Amino acid sequence: MRILVTGGAGFIGSHIVDAALARGWEVRILDSLNPAVHPGPPPRRPGAPLMVGDVGDAVTVAASLKGIDVVVHQSAKVGLGAGFFDAPDYIRENDLATAVLLAGMASAGADKLVLASSMVVYGEGAYTDSAGVPVRPDARRLEDLERGIFDPRDPATGELLLPTLVTEDAALDPRNVYAASKLAQENLASAWARSTGGTAIALRYHNVYGPRMPKNTPYAGVASLFRSALARGEAVRVFEDGGQRRSFVHVADVAEANLRAIEALVEGRVVMPGSFRAYNVGASEVQTIGQMAEVLSAVGGGPAPMVTGEFRLGDVRHITASSARAWAELGWAPRHRFEDGMREFATAPLRGDPA
């Protein structure tokens, strides 16, 4: 098995590389080593040669694809960002680069793709009314947020809705630039598969955490931002009321999901030629952002979290995954329990920590 991992020097990509090498596979890494997210050179990984270059460069992509069986596309600009002025960078680094990669795959005859997607393509998660009837909420009202009412309402009745697990068949409703760019990546992958007869799997990651997360950047995940605050001796600042429900999934479990997807493509299972299929990759346990803050603060010996009531337009209230499809079709399920994983993460090295 010969795989190319774009973004293979990054947080999730490096764990995929390590897991693939442990399987005895041949791995090639393509990574730009952008200094904004790579404060220093990445560790060498014997058996996984590193090509330093831009996924948006056609010549670099063509060289990286030689002899490759499966492309695992992890390279992306992630997170909510610092403001809408980031929009051109998101489109350039996520969508244009993906288009260049897929065009290169079409030219090279590379016909198997695993794409890193995200829960953000759903917008808000799944909800029901008090009678258990599914309801798709509109964006939360500013006046509600300012009054500390954070749950979305039924557009027809105004009733506050109840969260449930979101499945891959849910309506897609990206609500910020990053989300729009991730959905565009999925659409490009689907169009590529239909046009070329290739096969593509998109893994919609939920809240990934674990060793090697980037720190001290607005593009880092919430778990990393909390860790960085505790390292500075500060109380973690929790937005809204801390009751936002999430599926926190350990990066090692995410790496395993990628390997299961690769195997499914190579063995011709699940996805037919010319087809695209998406899978949620989330925890089996539902937790809240407030609970995560409490665990990290307690294990790290830091001050108690500060629930601020602040909010950001574009954030969603609840998004929790049903990963039943991944279990049924890929044989994947998360193995790390929330408390165990967070206790490990509380002292795990982050990218940007001193060596």
Side-chain angles (χ1 to χ4, degrees), residues 76-275:
K77 185 181 181 76
V78 301
L80 189 58
F84 199 84
F85 56 80
D86 278 339
D89 284 340
Y90 277 106
I91 302 308
R92 183 183 307 109
E93 295 189 28
N94 294 356
D95 301 335
L96 177 58
T98 298
V100 171
L101 175 66
L102 293 172
M105 292 177 66
S107 297
D111 63 353
K112 297 176 179 64
L113 173 73
V114 178
L115 171 69
S117 188
S118 171
M119 66 179 189
V120 296
V121 300
Y122 296 115
E124 283 288 350
Y127 293 85
T128 69
D129 63 17
S130 57
V133 177
V135 177
R136 186 67 184 168
D138 291 334
R140 294 184 291 171
R141 304 172 183 175
L142 178 60
E143 57 268 30
D144 277 346
L145 297 173
E146 290 175 337
R147 292 167 55 203
I149 301 171
F150 299 116
D151 287 315
R153 296 182 181 274
D154 185 324
T157 67
E159 174 189 15
L160 293 178
L161 296 172
L162 304 173
T164 187
L165 300 181
V166 66
T167 67
E168 294 86 350
D169 296 324
L172 304 182
D173 183 19
R175 297 190 175 189
N176 56 55
V177 173
Y178 171 56
S181 75
K182 296 307 288 184
L183 181 54
Q185 283 186 304
E186 288 197 13
N187 289 336
L188 286 166
S190 180
W192 164 84
R194 287 195 298 270
S195 174
T196 66
T199 52
I201 286 176
L203 299 178
R204 292 174 178 163
Y205 302 157
H206 284 247
N207 287 77
V208 186
Y209 71 94
R212 306 177 203 159
M213 284 191 85
K215 62 183 260 187
N216 297 329
T217 164
Y219 309 100
V222 64
S224 176
L225 297 176
F226 286 180
R227 265 285 311 273
S228 296
L230 290 168
R232 297 190 298 268
E234 301 171 3
V236 168
R237 296 176 62 83
V238 179
F239 280 16
E240 302 187 12
D241 60 359
Q244 306 95 308
R245 289 159 51 107
R246 295 292 187 268
S247 292
F248 294 104
V249 59
H250 194 281
V251 66
D253 290 328
V254 173
E256 179 63 22
N258 276 268
L259 269 58
R260 296 293 181 98
I262 293 167
E263 291 169 339
L265 291 178
V266 171
E267 295 167 9
R269 295 185 286 109
V270 178
V271 184
M272 300 298 292
S275 298

Side-chain angles (χ1 to χ4, degrees), residues 330-354:
L330 303 179
W332 175 85
R335 299 178 63 183
H336 290 72
R337 293 184 58 81
F338 174 77
E339 292 241 359
D340 296 336
M342 283 295 166
R343 287 180 180 280
E344 175 213 33
F345 176 64
T347 57
L350 301 182
R351 196 188 324 153
D353 284 337

